[in-house]
Amino acid sequence: MNSVWLIYSPPTINIMLKLLTNPSEAIVKIAKDKKRSPGKALGMLLIAAFMMAIASVVVFAKLGIFTLASAMMGLGDTALLLVGFSVFILVIVIGIVLSWLFKIAATTLGGKGTHIDGLYVVSMSLFAPAVGMLVAGIFFETGTFFLY
């Protein structure tokens, strides 16, 4: 296995935790790293997409929107799985497209950005909102204000 594509590694986890506690230090550490691997950037994007998918499933399960529709169609909890899977795939696809756009913008403005640099930008900027969505989804409560 090529170490360039290694997704899980302790430095990657340390950088992700540092993004929450001290984002500027994490960004400077990644910018100074001369051996940026696509696996680390893709790993951060996959973890952010997974957290967003879990958050969306938790919120939709608490809302109970798909419960009646699933019962009528005989799907059971398949609708919740489809929501989670579609959010996961959507975040990955949008992240890759945005990284391509960041690469185009960087090279147009005279920089030497690569696709991996754009993927780092997108995955690092998605990580904190993904954690926020997961925490908000866990503490989300439905009240009488919704659908009444």
Side-chain angles (χ1 to χ4, degrees):
M1 180 177 182
N2 192 354
S3 64
V4 172
W5 290 98
L6 185 64
I7 291 175
Y8 171 76
S9 66
T12 304
I13 302 299
N14 289 340
I15 288 172
M16 291 168 59
L17 292 176
K18 190 67 80 173
L19 278 171
L20 295 175
T21 58
N22 193 354
S24 60
E25 184 179 329
I27 292 170
V28 167
K29 185 175 182 179
I30 289 175
K32 288 183 180 179
D33 187 15
K34 297 297 180 190
K35 296 185 291 183
R36 286 181 288 232
S37 70
K40 289 179 183 178
L42 188 64
M44 286 195 286
L45 181 65
L46 288 175
I47 289 172
F50 184 72
M51 285 192 294
M52 286 186 179
I54 294 294
S56 65
V57 167
V58 168
V59 168
F60 277 107
K62 286 184 177 182
L63 286 176
I65 291 176
F66 290 113
T67 307
L68 182 61
S70 297
M72 289 172 57
M73 292 186 285
L75 293 175
D77 289 333
T78 308
L80 288 175
L81 292 175
L82 288 174
V83 165
F85 181 72
S86 58
V87 167
F88 181 76
I89 296 298
L90 191 66
V91 169
I92 291 173
V93 169
I94 288 174
I96 290 173
V97 169
L98 279 177
S99 67
W100 176 67
L101 290 175
F102 277 124
K103 180 233 179 218
I104 289 174
T107 54
T108 302
L109 294 173
K112 295 185 260 182
T114 63
H115 185 73
I116 302 305
D117 296 330
L119 192 58
Y120 266 108
V121 168
V122 170
S123 61
M124 286 183 350
S125 61
L126 277 179
F127 183 70
V131 171
M133 283 178 60
L134 186 61
V135 170
I138 290 170
F139 292 117
F140 179 75
E141 285 293 327
T142 58
T144 56
F145 64 93
F146 192 78
L147 295 177
Y148 291 109

